[in-house]
Amino acid sequence: VSSLSQIMAIATSFVIDTWKGSTFMRTVVDWNSTLVDWLFCLNFIGIPIIVGSVALCSGTSEWWTITSITWFVLVFAYYTVFALSAVYYEVDGCLELIRYHPKLRENDNADASEYGINTFLRAVQLRMKQRLSGYKNISYTAHGSDPHPDKLSYYEVREKESYKSSIGIFSRFTRSSLMRSFYHVLDEPVRQYNVEDVLEFTPYITGQSWGLESVYCRNRSTRYIAIIDGVGALTKEQTVSSIVCFGFGTFLSLFAIVSLLFWFGLSAGPIFVIVLIYLATLYKSIISTVGLGATYNAVMTREDGNYGSIDRNKKSDGIYQVEESFRISEPKPALCWFVLGFEVVFFFIIPLIALFLSKNNRVGIVFIFMGIIYLLRDVCNAPACLRELGSLDGMELNNRDTDGTTEWREKNRFGKIISEISVGKRSNFWVGVFVVFTFVFCLIIVSAFAMGSDDGASDAFKFASREEFVYEGSHGVNYASCSMGHNIKTPDNSGNSLADFTFLTNIAYLDNNAATASLETWFEDSTVENLASNVTEFKRSYQSENGSSSVLYKLFDFPDQELKVVAVRGTSNSWDALTDAQLWSSAALSQYLRAILPLGEWWTPILPHIVKAISVIEDKSLENVAYYRETTAFVESLKKDGHNVQIVGHSLGGGLAMITGAQTEIPAIALSGPNTMISRKTYSPQITPAALDKYTFNIVPDRDPVPRIDDLAENYQRIKCRSPSNKPVDCHYGRRSLCEILYTCGSEKRPIPCFCVNVYGYDEPTSVNGEAFSNFCPPE
């Protein structure tokens, strides 16, 4: 999580820095700025245009793909240089501070290029000390005319009238008698500096810069100085509005969250818990805002109890909330090294060994690279150095020039790296994103173990009498594919073959007995057989040679039509959800990337190549969930025996069906299946766009997110989803889609499942002889 969030924080900074004219990269090299601009122009514009022009002259139809790939490779190379430079100068700056800062200086005459092992070890110890120490958190309100908080001692801070303090449970534990062997209790607490203050980033809020949206949306972990008297002072109305706006904004956000949860149908218990968690995250902001308001009221109130007037002719004065930490206990060196060793072993070495033992060698190599970068940035932690040392003093001692140019460039560069990459909104945002993804992933894993897998539902479908009840179909225009095209053979020449194939995708979720009973009722006038023994025999033979597989599928034989249909079961438990994620996550991420990029559709031709590059890294992981290989082998064996074969599936089963259909060149009908146009190069053998356009067909319900993963091929049918708008997941249910198709296309000679009316709320079908529908399908 930490490594990925760091990579994305650097990527975000790279994009912003590039739009600003590569201001960071100008500090990396001593070249003339004109030369840097020329390199930038050639990398982003010149070389891609030259390559594209050559491709056009060669007459290839893939000229845009070649140009796009060239541009992408050059940008990625430029990003790599940017990222490595940021990491290098961050680590280098940290070591310079450790070596030259007045508080820690080893040797005034030492050369910074001669970092000894002692410098590195001191950096490691400083970082671990910061992480494991006990702290006392204090807060108070200060005036602009007061001495800077960093100039006050701990005992002077305690004398502040608005002084408040708190010690966390862990910090109290470090001072207990149980931890005396591992911790020192400090006689005088040691201040931990604020990174923004060290970098001299302290925004002012004046009467001219004030705005409701800017005050409410500001970063509340950063110190802001509000001007309350003198030139540029805030008016009473502005100050009161700032406090009221915070309360009103908190109420609005809370009301919106509760309303959204209520709209999704959550009960009062879960809503109450979520509200408490949300309020807990705002606790410090609420206390800070209330305290600042009380202080302002006290400052501006005269002795007679009335508000004083603002004198705009005198020097400005301000107030601000100070929140600081003082170290009250610190770990002994032995504990620091033990915890570091424990983290390296359990979070780096053991996962690395597991990757190589599972033959994920490429992922292991990437993990080594990312792990080393993370460890370097974590142990040589620049923000930790600033919190401990409180200034950038000492970085200038290694410079050779006398005009201060190099010193300015180094400190400016170091400050940009820390404020824009190491800490701040970008880093926090990506940490939050990956924490959420990790939480969801762990939740799926836990539920997978808890739920396990199953062989299918044991209850056959219940139907109303086909002779008595019918859906006559839409009175307007039906779906164009109610009757499939001439290249697709239907089970018994039904006029509503779309419903037949949709029914077969649902039957794949039943066990063999229930599936057989449901088939016989649905295809009452035709001969159909569930060839369960054929599937069992093939699975035993295939898996003995290729390893176990979790994919489940059935084989239905229609001898009157000389047709065999393979029905692949879709996502029915958490293990299947993990398979979905591994097979299609790269394609989904590339779609999101395309959506946020300017002119994103222009980059569609290179998305399959990007996804393919990612799949090369996780080759073994994808191979372990490549269930399509078994279904493809099964279809190939049927074709080899001379059978006419088609394949269907819902959800994950639909995606596997389309892969197999394109690979074996047989018709594949998917219901709510993830598509394969972007991910087509990741499969073995690879799939061509022509094969997907010719052999695959996807049924896409409205508001169903799954069939919107990856890009659709040419043949698909959109259908309505009549579920409530606050239940989009219901649109993915295969049974609901079956009801929709029967309702719109007409039931023809097929029976109507009871759940269409009793579960999904469709209108009761027309009764031929006036019978009550409830007599055949009692309400559940």
Side-chain angles (χ1 to χ4, degrees), residues 241-282:
S241 295
S242 298
I243 299 172
V244 173
C245 179
F246 174 75
F248 184 62
T250 302
F251 167 76
L252 284 182
S253 60
L254 187 61
F255 184 66
I257 291 173
V258 171
S259 301
L260 183 65
L261 296 175
F262 181 79
W263 185 70
F264 275 114
L266 266 69
S267 59
I271 293 178
F272 181 72
V273 172
I274 293 173
V275 168
L276 289 181
I277 294 174
Y278 178 71
L279 291 177
T281 61
L282 295 177

mmCIF file of all heavy atoms in Angstrom, residues 241-282:
data_model
loop_
_atom_site.group_PDB
_atom_site.id
_atom_site.type_symbol
_atom_site.label_atom_id
_atom_site.label_comp_id
_atom_site.label_asym_id
_atom_site.label_seq_id
_atom_site.Cartn_x
_atom_site.Cartn_y
_atom_site.Cartn_z
ATOM 1 N N SER A 241 -18.927 33.950 10.319
ATOM 2 C CA SER A 241 -19.340 33.116 9.190
ATOM 3 C C SER A 241 -18.409 31.914 9.017
ATOM 4 O O SER A 241 -18.857 30.826 8.632
ATOM 5 C CB SER A 241 -19.363 33.943 7.895
ATOM 6 O OG SER A 241 -20.338 34.943 7.946
ATOM 7 N N SER A 242 -17.108 32.100 9.297
ATOM 8 C CA SER A 242 -16.162 30.994 9.176
ATOM 9 C C SER A 242 -16.528 29.862 10.128
ATOM 10 O O SER A 242 -16.514 28.683 9.760
ATOM 11 C CB SER A 242 -14.740 31.475 9.475
ATOM 12 O OG SER A 242 -14.334 32.463 8.560
ATOM 13 N N ILE A 243 -16.877 30.239 11.375
ATOM 14 C CA ILE A 243 -17.226 29.227 12.372
ATOM 15 C C ILE A 243 -18.576 28.593 12.043
ATOM 16 O O ILE A 243 -18.741 27.374 12.087
ATOM 17 C CB ILE A 243 -17.239 29.862 13.775
ATOM 18 C CG1 ILE A 243 -15.843 30.395 14.102
ATOM 19 C CG2 ILE A 243 -17.697 28.859 14.824
ATOM 20 C CD1 ILE A 243 -15.781 31.220 15.369
ATOM 21 N N VAL A 244 -19.547 29.442 11.680
ATOM 22 C CA VAL A 244 -20.873 28.924 11.329
ATOM 23 C C VAL A 244 -20.792 28.039 10.089
ATOM 24 O O VAL A 244 -21.453 26.996 10.002
ATOM 25 C CB VAL A 244 -21.859 30.089 11.102
ATOM 26 C CG1 VAL A 244 -23.189 29.578 10.560
ATOM 27 C CG2 VAL A 244 -22.074 30.848 12.404
ATOM 28 N N CYS A 245 -19.943 28.443 9.123
ATOM 29 C CA CYS A 245 -19.812 27.664 7.890
ATOM 30 C C CYS A 245 -19.278 26.264 8.177
ATOM 31 O O CYS A 245 -19.708 25.296 7.558
ATOM 32 C CB CYS A 245 -18.888 28.394 6.915
ATOM 33 S SG CYS A 245 -18.620 27.505 5.367
ATOM 34 N N PHE A 246 -18.333 26.181 9.111
ATOM 35 C CA PHE A 246 -17.807 24.854 9.457
ATOM 36 C C PHE A 246 -18.910 23.970 10.027
ATOM 37 O O PHE A 246 -19.068 22.809 9.635
ATOM 38 C CB PHE A 246 -16.668 24.977 10.464
ATOM 39 C CG PHE A 246 -16.179 23.653 10.974
ATOM 40 C CD1 PHE A 246 -15.382 22.832 10.188
ATOM 41 C CD2 PHE A 246 -16.538 23.205 12.236
ATOM 42 C CE1 PHE A 246 -14.945 21.593 10.645
ATOM 43 C CE2 PHE A 246 -16.111 21.971 12.710
ATOM 44 C CZ PHE A 246 -15.307 21.170 11.905
ATOM 45 N N GLY A 247 -19.712 24.544 10.948
ATOM 46 C CA GLY A 247 -20.813 23.762 11.514
ATOM 47 C C GLY A 247 -21.860 23.402 10.478
ATOM 48 O O GLY A 247 -22.345 22.274 10.420
ATOM 49 N N PHE A 248 -22.197 24.384 9.621
ATOM 50 C CA PHE A 248 -23.193 24.135 8.594
ATOM 51 C C PHE A 248 -22.681 23.123 7.567
ATOM 52 O O PHE A 248 -23.416 22.225 7.135
ATOM 53 C CB PHE A 248 -23.545 25.446 7.900
ATOM 54 C CG PHE A 248 -24.632 25.328 6.877
ATOM 55 C CD1 PHE A 248 -25.910 24.929 7.235
ATOM 56 C CD2 PHE A 248 -24.373 25.603 5.545
ATOM 57 C CE1 PHE A 248 -26.911 24.815 6.280
ATOM 58 C CE2 PHE A 248 -25.363 25.484 4.586
ATOM 59 C CZ PHE A 248 -26.636 25.096 4.959
ATOM 60 N N GLY A 249 -21.390 23.255 7.181
ATOM 61 C CA GLY A 249 -20.810 22.307 6.227
ATOM 62 C C GLY A 249 -20.753 20.901 6.793
ATOM 63 O O GLY A 249 -21.007 19.920 6.086
ATOM 64 N N THR A 250 -20.414 20.800 8.082
ATOM 65 C CA THR A 250 -20.392 19.486 8.734
ATOM 66 C C THR A 250 -21.780 18.872 8.747
ATOM 67 O O THR A 250 -21.959 17.676 8.467
ATOM 68 C CB THR A 250 -19.851 19.616 10.167
ATOM 69 O OG1 THR A 250 -18.539 20.178 10.137
ATOM 70 C CG2 THR A 250 -19.804 18.249 10.846
ATOM 71 N N PHE A 251 -22.782 19.697 9.061
ATOM 72 C CA PHE A 251 -24.166 19.204 9.063
ATOM 73 C C PHE A 251 -24.587 18.742 7.667
ATOM 74 O O PHE A 251 -25.196 17.682 7.508
ATOM 75 C CB PHE A 251 -25.115 20.291 9.564
ATOM 76 C CG PHE A 251 -26.569 19.989 9.320
ATOM 77 C CD1 PHE A 251 -27.240 19.069 10.112
ATOM 78 C CD2 PHE A 251 -27.253 20.600 8.267
ATOM 79 C CE1 PHE A 251 -28.574 18.774 9.875
ATOM 80 C CE2 PHE A 251 -28.581 20.313 8.031
ATOM 81 C CZ PHE A 251 -29.247 19.396 8.835
ATOM 82 N N LEU A 252 -24.252 19.545 6.645
ATOM 83 C CA LEU A 252 -24.644 19.189 5.280
ATOM 84 C C LEU A 252 -23.992 17.879 4.840
ATOM 85 O O LEU A 252 -24.654 17.017 4.252
ATOM 86 C CB LEU A 252 -24.257 20.312 4.314
ATOM 87 C CG LEU A 252 -25.118 21.569 4.310
ATOM 88 C CD1 LEU A 252 -24.603 22.542 3.258
ATOM 89 C CD2 LEU A 252 -26.583 21.231 4.036
ATOM 90 N N SER A 253 -22.695 17.745 5.093
ATOM 91 C CA SER A 253 -22.007 16.510 4.692
ATOM 92 C C SER A 253 -22.567 15.311 5.437
ATOM 93 O O SER A 253 -22.760 14.239 4.850
ATOM 94 C CB SER A 253 -20.504 16.649 4.932
ATOM 95 O OG SER A 253 -20.229 16.887 6.303
ATOM 96 N N LEU A 254 -22.851 15.490 6.719
ATOM 97 C CA LEU A 254 -23.419 14.393 7.507
ATOM 98 C C LEU A 254 -24.818 14.040 7.010
ATOM 99 O O LEU A 254 -25.167 12.857 6.868
ATOM 100 C CB LEU A 254 -23.462 14.804 8.980
ATOM 101 C CG LEU A 254 -23.865 13.722 9.982
ATOM 102 C CD1 LEU A 254 -22.875 12.569 9.942
ATOM 103 C CD2 LEU A 254 -23.946 14.299 11.382
ATOM 104 N N PHE A 255 -25.611 15.071 6.718
ATOM 105 C CA PHE A 255 -26.969 14.845 6.215
ATOM 106 C C PHE A 255 -26.938 14.133 4.862
ATOM 107 O O PHE A 255 -27.743 13.237 4.597
ATOM 108 C CB PHE A 255 -27.694 16.183 6.098
ATOM 109 C CG PHE A 255 -29.129 16.058 5.677
ATOM 110 C CD1 PHE A 255 -30.069 15.437 6.494
ATOM 111 C CD2 PHE A 255 -29.550 16.551 4.451
ATOM 112 C CE1 PHE A 255 -31.384 15.312 6.096
ATOM 113 C CE2 PHE A 255 -30.867 16.440 4.048
ATOM 114 C CZ PHE A 255 -31.793 15.818 4.879
ATOM 115 N N ALA A 256 -25.974 14.521 3.994
ATOM 116 C CA ALA A 256 -25.852 13.879 2.683
ATOM 117 C C ALA A 256 -25.461 12.407 2.830
ATOM 118 O O ALA A 256 -25.984 11.538 2.120
ATOM 119 C CB ALA A 256 -24.818 14.621 1.832
ATOM 120 N N ILE A 257 -24.517 12.123 3.744
ATOM 121 C CA ILE A 257 -24.087 10.743 3.960
ATOM 122 C C ILE A 257 -25.240 9.892 4.466
ATOM 123 O O ILE A 257 -25.488 8.781 3.975
ATOM 124 C CB ILE A 257 -22.900 10.702 4.942
ATOM 125 C CG1 ILE A 257 -21.655 11.316 4.296
ATOM 126 C CG2 ILE A 257 -22.606 9.270 5.380
ATOM 127 C CD1 ILE A 257 -20.497 11.478 5.252
ATOM 128 N N VAL A 258 -25.960 10.407 5.468
ATOM 129 C CA VAL A 258 -27.093 9.659 6.029
ATOM 130 C C VAL A 258 -28.168 9.435 4.968
ATOM 131 O O VAL A 258 -28.733 8.339 4.853
ATOM 132 C CB VAL A 258 -27.673 10.403 7.245
ATOM 133 C CG1 VAL A 258 -28.975 9.752 7.705
ATOM 134 C CG2 VAL A 258 -26.666 10.411 8.386
ATOM 135 N N SER A 259 -28.441 10.464 4.168
ATOM 136 C CA SER A 259 -29.458 10.328 3.122
ATOM 137 C C SER A 259 -29.058 9.283 2.094
ATOM 138 O O SER A 259 -29.887 8.484 1.652
ATOM 139 C CB SER A 259 -29.672 11.683 2.431
ATOM 140 O OG SER A 259 -30.082 12.661 3.353
ATOM 141 N N LEU A 260 -27.784 9.284 1.702
ATOM 142 C CA LEU A 260 -27.310 8.309 0.727
ATOM 143 C C LEU A 260 -27.412 6.894 1.274
ATOM 144 O O LEU A 260 -27.863 5.976 0.570
ATOM 145 C CB LEU A 260 -25.861 8.630 0.343
ATOM 146 C CG LEU A 260 -25.235 7.736 -0.740
ATOM 147 C CD1 LEU A 260 -25.958 7.934 -2.063
ATOM 148 C CD2 LEU A 260 -23.754 8.055 -0.904
ATOM 149 N N LEU A 261 -27.017 6.714 2.533
ATOM 150 C CA LEU A 261 -27.097 5.378 3.144
ATOM 151 C C LEU A 261 -28.552 4.933 3.264
ATOM 152 O O LEU A 261 -28.866 3.757 3.041
ATOM 153 C CB LEU A 261 -26.431 5.399 4.518
ATOM 154 C CG LEU A 261 -24.919 5.686 4.534
ATOM 155 C CD1 LEU A 261 -24.422 5.791 5.969
ATOM 156 C CD2 LEU A 261 -24.165 4.591 3.796
ATOM 157 N N PHE A 262 -29.427 5.876 3.620
ATOM 158 C CA PHE A 262 -30.854 5.551 3.712
ATOM 159 C C PHE A 262 -31.418 5.183 2.348
ATOM 160 O O PHE A 262 -32.221 4.265 2.217
ATOM 161 C CB PHE A 262 -31.608 6.749 4.307
ATOM 162 C CG PHE A 262 -33.087 6.508 4.460
ATOM 163 C CD1 PHE A 262 -33.578 5.768 5.523
ATOM 164 C CD2 PHE A 262 -33.990 7.023 3.533
ATOM 165 C CE1 PHE A 262 -34.941 5.541 5.658
ATOM 166 C CE2 PHE A 262 -35.350 6.810 3.658
ATOM 167 C CZ PHE A 262 -35.824 6.061 4.732
ATOM 168 N N TRP A 263 -30.972 5.904 1.316
ATOM 169 C CA TRP A 263 -31.431 5.633 -0.056
ATOM 170 C C TRP A 263 -31.014 4.235 -0.502
ATOM 171 O O TRP A 263 -31.749 3.555 -1.209
ATOM 172 C CB TRP A 263 -30.848 6.683 -0.985
ATOM 173 C CG TRP A 263 -31.322 6.600 -2.402
ATOM 174 C CD1 TRP A 263 -32.565 6.887 -2.876
ATOM 175 C CD2 TRP A 263 -30.554 6.208 -3.546
ATOM 176 N NE1 TRP A 263 -32.629 6.713 -4.233
ATOM 177 C CE2 TRP A 263 -31.409 6.287 -4.679
ATOM 178 C CE3 TRP A 263 -29.244 5.807 -3.728
ATOM 179 C CZ2 TRP A 263 -30.975 5.969 -5.955
ATOM 180 C CZ3 TRP A 263 -28.812 5.492 -5.002
ATOM 181 C CH2 TRP A 263 -29.657 5.568 -6.104
ATOM 182 N N PHE A 264 -29.831 3.793 -0.052
ATOM 183 C CA PHE A 264 -29.375 2.450 -0.390
ATOM 184 C C PHE A 264 -30.037 1.373 0.460
ATOM 185 O O PHE A 264 -29.752 0.179 0.287
ATOM 186 C CB PHE A 264 -27.860 2.340 -0.245
ATOM 187 C CG PHE A 264 -27.102 2.800 -1.460
ATOM 188 C CD1 PHE A 264 -26.285 3.915 -1.408
ATOM 189 C CD2 PHE A 264 -27.218 2.123 -2.664
ATOM 190 C CE1 PHE A 264 -25.587 4.343 -2.530
ATOM 191 C CE2 PHE A 264 -26.527 2.546 -3.782
ATOM 192 C CZ PHE A 264 -25.710 3.655 -3.723
ATOM 193 N N GLY A 265 -30.878 1.770 1.403
ATOM 194 C CA GLY A 265 -31.653 0.798 2.156
ATOM 195 C C GLY A 265 -30.999 0.280 3.418
ATOM 196 O O GLY A 265 -31.438 -0.736 3.964
ATOM 197 N N LEU A 266 -29.959 0.947 3.934
ATOM 198 C CA LEU A 266 -29.330 0.492 5.160
ATOM 199 C C LEU A 266 -30.245 0.759 6.353
ATOM 200 O O LEU A 266 -30.999 1.735 6.384
ATOM 201 C CB LEU A 266 -27.988 1.203 5.388
ATOM 202 C CG LEU A 266 -26.744 0.471 4.867
ATOM 203 C CD1 LEU A 266 -26.739 0.453 3.335
ATOM 204 C CD2 LEU A 266 -25.470 1.125 5.400
ATOM 205 N N SER A 267 -30.147 -0.121 7.346
ATOM 206 C CA SER A 267 -30.956 0.035 8.547
ATOM 207 C C SER A 267 -30.331 1.075 9.474
ATOM 208 O O SER A 267 -29.218 1.560 9.246
ATOM 209 C CB SER A 267 -31.093 -1.305 9.269
ATOM 210 O OG SER A 267 -29.806 -1.810 9.630
ATOM 211 N N ALA A 268 -31.036 1.395 10.551
ATOM 212 C CA ALA A 268 -30.591 2.457 11.453
ATOM 213 C C ALA A 268 -29.271 2.119 12.140
ATOM 214 O O ALA A 268 -28.436 3.004 12.356
ATOM 215 C CB ALA A 268 -31.674 2.729 12.497
ATOM 216 N N GLY A 269 -29.054 0.846 12.478
ATOM 217 C CA GLY A 269 -27.833 0.451 13.180
ATOM 218 C C GLY A 269 -26.562 0.779 12.415
ATOM 219 O O GLY A 269 -25.693 1.517 12.919
ATOM 220 N N PRO A 270 -26.407 0.257 11.195
ATOM 221 C CA PRO A 270 -25.204 0.584 10.416
ATOM 222 C C PRO A 270 -25.048 2.072 10.143
ATOM 223 O O PRO A 270 -23.932 2.601 10.166
ATOM 224 C CB PRO A 270 -25.408 -0.201 9.115
ATOM 225 C CG PRO A 270 -26.310 -1.325 9.480
ATOM 226 C CD PRO A 270 -27.221 -0.757 10.533
ATOM 227 N N ILE A 271 -26.160 2.777 9.896
ATOM 228 C CA ILE A 271 -26.084 4.219 9.657
ATOM 229 C C ILE A 271 -25.543 4.933 10.884
ATOM 230 O O ILE A 271 -24.687 5.829 10.788
ATOM 231 C CB ILE A 271 -27.467 4.776 9.261
ATOM 232 C CG1 ILE A 271 -27.898 4.235 7.895
ATOM 233 C CG2 ILE A 271 -27.451 6.301 9.254
ATOM 234 C CD1 ILE A 271 -29.264 4.698 7.460
ATOM 235 N N PHE A 272 -26.017 4.528 12.066
ATOM 236 C CA PHE A 272 -25.551 5.152 13.311
ATOM 237 C C PHE A 272 -24.061 4.933 13.508
ATOM 238 O O PHE A 272 -23.327 5.855 13.899
ATOM 239 C CB PHE A 272 -26.330 4.561 14.487
ATOM 240 C CG PHE A 272 -25.944 5.138 15.821
ATOM 241 C CD1 PHE A 272 -26.307 6.429 16.173
ATOM 242 C CD2 PHE A 272 -25.200 4.377 16.719
ATOM 243 C CE1 PHE A 272 -25.932 6.960 17.399
ATOM 244 C CE2 PHE A 272 -24.828 4.900 17.938
ATOM 245 C CZ PHE A 272 -25.201 6.197 18.297
ATOM 246 N N VAL A 273 -23.565 3.724 13.229
ATOM 247 C CA VAL A 273 -22.139 3.428 13.382
ATOM 248 C C VAL A 273 -21.305 4.289 12.425
ATOM 249 O O VAL A 273 -20.270 4.846 12.803
ATOM 250 C CB VAL A 273 -21.872 1.926 13.139
ATOM 251 C CG1 VAL A 273 -20.365 1.639 13.089
ATOM 252 C CG2 VAL A 273 -22.524 1.088 14.228
ATOM 253 N N ILE A 274 -21.753 4.390 11.176
ATOM 254 C CA ILE A 274 -21.018 5.184 10.189
ATOM 255 C C ILE A 274 -20.996 6.657 10.580
ATOM 256 O O ILE A 274 -19.974 7.343 10.430
ATOM 257 C CB ILE A 274 -21.643 4.995 8.790
ATOM 258 C CG1 ILE A 274 -21.436 3.545 8.319
ATOM 259 C CG2 ILE A 274 -21.044 5.961 7.778
ATOM 260 C CD1 ILE A 274 -22.154 3.206 7.041
ATOM 261 N N VAL A 275 -22.099 7.157 11.119
ATOM 262 C CA VAL A 275 -22.147 8.554 11.580
ATOM 263 C C VAL A 275 -21.148 8.784 12.705
ATOM 264 O O VAL A 275 -20.432 9.797 12.737
ATOM 265 C CB VAL A 275 -23.575 8.917 12.023
ATOM 266 C CG1 VAL A 275 -23.575 10.251 12.772
ATOM 267 C CG2 VAL A 275 -24.501 8.996 10.822
ATOM 268 N N LEU A 276 -21.091 7.847 13.661
ATOM 269 C CA LEU A 276 -20.132 7.979 14.759
ATOM 270 C C LEU A 276 -18.695 7.991 14.245
ATOM 271 O O LEU A 276 -17.860 8.782 14.717
ATOM 272 C CB LEU A 276 -20.326 6.840 15.759
ATOM 273 C CG LEU A 276 -21.590 6.880 16.626
ATOM 274 C CD1 LEU A 276 -21.616 5.685 17.569
ATOM 275 C CD2 LEU A 276 -21.641 8.183 17.427
ATOM 276 N N ILE A 277 -18.387 7.130 13.278
ATOM 277 C CA ILE A 277 -17.033 7.089 12.715
ATOM 278 C C ILE A 277 -16.711 8.406 12.023
ATOM 279 O O ILE A 277 -15.615 8.963 12.167
ATOM 280 C CB ILE A 277 -16.900 5.914 11.726
ATOM 281 C CG1 ILE A 277 -17.023 4.578 12.476
ATOM 282 C CG2 ILE A 277 -15.577 5.977 10.977
ATOM 283 C CD1 ILE A 277 -17.060 3.367 11.567
ATOM 284 N N TYR A 278 -17.666 8.936 11.286
ATOM 285 C CA TYR A 278 -17.457 10.206 10.584
ATOM 286 C C TYR A 278 -17.217 11.345 11.575
ATOM 287 O O TYR A 278 -16.301 12.163 11.391
ATOM 288 C CB TYR A 278 -18.662 10.509 9.699
ATOM 289 C CG TYR A 278 -18.576 11.817 8.961
ATOM 290 C CD1 TYR A 278 -17.687 11.981 7.906
ATOM 291 C CD2 TYR A 278 -19.367 12.909 9.316
ATOM 292 C CE1 TYR A 278 -17.593 13.187 7.224
ATOM 293 C CE2 TYR A 278 -19.288 14.116 8.641
ATOM 294 C CZ TYR A 278 -18.398 14.242 7.597
ATOM 295 O OH TYR A 278 -18.307 15.437 6.930
ATOM 296 N N LEU A 279 -18.019 11.403 12.639
ATOM 297 C CA LEU A 279 -17.845 12.451 13.635
ATOM 298 C C LEU A 279 -16.509 12.310 14.363
ATOM 299 O O LEU A 279 -15.882 13.314 14.730
ATOM 300 C CB LEU A 279 -18.996 12.423 14.638
ATOM 301 C CG LEU A 279 -20.370 12.849 14.097
ATOM 302 C CD1 LEU A 279 -21.432 12.703 15.158
ATOM 303 C CD2 LEU A 279 -20.318 14.290 13.589
ATOM 304 N N ALA A 280 -16.071 11.060 14.560
ATOM 305 C CA ALA A 280 -14.777 10.835 15.221
ATOM 306 C C ALA A 280 -13.634 11.403 14.387
ATOM 307 O O ALA A 280 -12.661 11.945 14.924
ATOM 308 C CB ALA A 280 -14.571 9.348 15.477
ATOM 309 N N THR A 281 -13.746 11.291 13.052
ATOM 310 C CA THR A 281 -12.691 11.833 12.190
ATOM 311 C C THR A 281 -12.664 13.361 12.234
ATOM 312 O O THR A 281 -11.639 13.969 11.942
ATOM 313 C CB THR A 281 -12.894 11.381 10.732
ATOM 314 O OG1 THR A 281 -14.157 11.867 10.244
ATOM 315 C CG2 THR A 281 -12.876 9.855 10.632
ATOM 316 N N LEU A 282 -13.787 13.983 12.602
ATOM 317 C CA LEU A 282 -13.867 15.439 12.654
ATOM 318 C C LEU A 282 -13.648 15.993 14.058
ATOM 319 O O LEU A 282 -13.727 17.214 14.262
ATOM 320 C CB LEU A 282 -15.236 15.913 12.155
ATOM 321 C CG LEU A 282 -15.569 15.654 10.679
ATOM 322 C CD1 LEU A 282 -16.983 16.127 10.383
ATOM 323 C CD2 LEU A 282 -14.584 16.371 9.768
#
